[in-house]
């Protein structure tokens, strides 16, 4: 399961991952890209509407 943040009220579509920057996992091979994938997919979907 992946979480996505959406900022509303802006003149642009803005989505971001729910977990923040995850600096603690950087370079360790433990990061899961699923939240980023879901954020990109949602941004694409919202931009078409």
């Amino acid at each position: 399961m992946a979480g996505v943040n959406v900022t509303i009220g802006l003149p642009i579509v803005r989505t971001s991952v729910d977990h923040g920057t995850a600096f603690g996992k950087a370079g360790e091979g433990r990061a899961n890209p699923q939240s980023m994938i879901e954020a990109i997919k949602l941004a694409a979907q919202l931009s078409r509407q």
Side-chain angles (χ1 to χ4, degrees):
M1 178 100 177
V4 176
N5 288 316
V6 178
T7 304
I8 59 173
L10 298 176
I12 60 169
V13 173
R14 182 190 180 277
T15 62
S16 63
V17 296
D18 190 41
H19 57 66
T21 59
F23 282 130
K25 294 182 180 181
E28 296 183 2
R30 319 185 282 134
N32 181 338
Q34 196 58 45
S35 286
M36 178 61 110
I37 292 166
E38 295 302 323
I40 292 168
K41 287 166 57 175
L42 181 58
Q45 179 183 354
L46 292 172
S47 69
R48 288 191 294 268
Q49 296 180 355

